[in-house]
Amino acid sequence: MKLKLPKTVPVFPLSGVIFFPKTNLPLNIFEPRYLSLIDDCAKSDRYMGLIQSKKSSTEVYSVGCLGKITENKKTRDGRILVNLIGITRFEIKSEVNNNKSYREFEVSYDKFDKDLDPKKENPVKKETINELSEKTKFFFKKNGLLLNWKEFEKLDEDQRINTLAMIAPISNEEKQTILESISIQSKTKILAEIIEFYLHESSVNNLTVQ
């Protein structure tokens, strides 16, 4: 059954948070305009978009991710604790003029149709994924990041790449580049190149210090 996705999406812009399909994102909502957004979403189809804000401006990137609210709980002090599950990436077409406190955009999902139909994807070679996992384990360890690798390896290929890109200690711009990469092959290749760059830079810095 084909998902009926909204053409107009209420958007929560966040700086430094990248959201990917097939991942979960907990949010702590406290700003009045976004409390209103969550209330409105909860009363309708529960879909909302997350997109990264550009540095020191009201502009946002052109690609974000549609999420569906799976949990929302109000706290005594007026906040809302939300869990989102990533559905598919979208591309902004235009901003909607509305009388709401939050922003809405007309979006298209066409460019990222593989997010909803994995059969359209050519799988990444197992050796490539395993090689990336080993490099990432070393990279995470060097940066003091812990990940339950046993549980991680139960995820499908796309979930693995999306999860690594989401939590890796790399720049927001690099994460955005991965988010905008259409195929799993290109996402894997770019993530591997970024991690290799950081590992190489780290080894060069260590040699310089010594």
Side-chain angles (χ1 to χ4, degrees), residues 5-197:
L5 301 177
K7 291 180 180 176
T8 300
V9 175
V11 165
F12 185 14
L14 275 177
S15 180
V17 177
I18 311 282
F19 185 41
F20 283 83
K22 299 184 182 180
T23 64
N24 284 288
L25 182 66
L27 292 172
N28 177 13
I29 310 293
F30 53 87
E31 281 190 62
R33 57 183 164 165
Y34 298 126
L35 291 171
S36 175
L37 184 155
I38 299 299
D39 278 338
D40 289 350
C41 287
K43 290 171 190 169
S44 59
D45 56 15
R46 304 180 79 83
Y47 284 122
M48 62 181 282
L50 248 79
I51 201 157
Q52 189 176 197
S53 304
K54 293 191 176 178
K55 285 182 180 176
S56 54
S57 95
T58 57
E59 284 185 66
V60 293
Y61 284 91
S62 60
V63 173
C65 183
L66 183 75
K68 188 157 192 176
I69 298 171
T70 56
E71 292 174 46
N72 61 302
K73 183 180 177 182
K74 291 190 178 179
T75 64
R76 289 181 181 178
D77 59 4
R79 293 174 293 122
I80 301 181
L81 304 178
V82 170
N83 187 71
L84 282 183
I85 185 163
I87 305 297
T88 179
R89 290 166 290 170
F90 60 77
E91 186 176 27
I92 284 177
K93 293 302 176 187
S94 61
E95 183 158 5
V96 176
N97 288 322
N98 62 26
N99 57 2
K100 299 171 184 175
S101 56
Y102 54 85
R103 299 169 76 181
E104 291 179 295
F105 294 89
E106 284 188 13
V107 302
S108 169
Y109 308 99
D110 295 346
K111 190 187 276 189
F112 303 106
D113 60 341
K114 292 185 179 74
D115 288 350
L116 296 170
D117 189 0
K119 290 175 186 172
K120 291 183 179 180
E121 280 277 22
N122 295 316
V124 178
K125 289 180 182 176
K126 195 173 179 182
E127 310 86 76
T128 305
I129 292 283
N130 290 340
E131 188 181 331
L132 176 60
S133 290
E134 288 308 309
K135 283 179 183 173
T136 308
K137 282 179 188 179
F138 184 60
F139 181 50
F140 276 28
K141 192 174 180 181
K142 281 180 77 69
N143 284 275
L145 280 173
L146 297 174
L147 184 65
N148 186 332
W149 291 101
K150 198 171 181 181
E151 287 300 311
F152 173 77
E153 280 156 15
K154 293 177 184 177
L155 302 175
D156 68 35
E157 289 174 351
D158 209 22
Q159 283 176 306
R160 287 196 206 185
I161 300 303
N162 290 345
T163 301
L164 290 178
M166 198 168 166
I167 64 175
I170 60 180
S171 76
N172 299 334
E173 290 77 14
E174 287 164 333
K175 291 186 181 190
Q176 185 68 31
T177 301
I178 298 167
L179 183 72
E180 294 180 13
S181 302
I182 293 170
S183 69
I184 186 173
Q185 284 86 0
S186 60
K187 283 192 290 186
T188 305
K189 183 174 182 289
I190 291 166
L191 181 59
E193 287 171 354
I194 290 168
I195 288 174
E196 281 169 19
F197 170 77

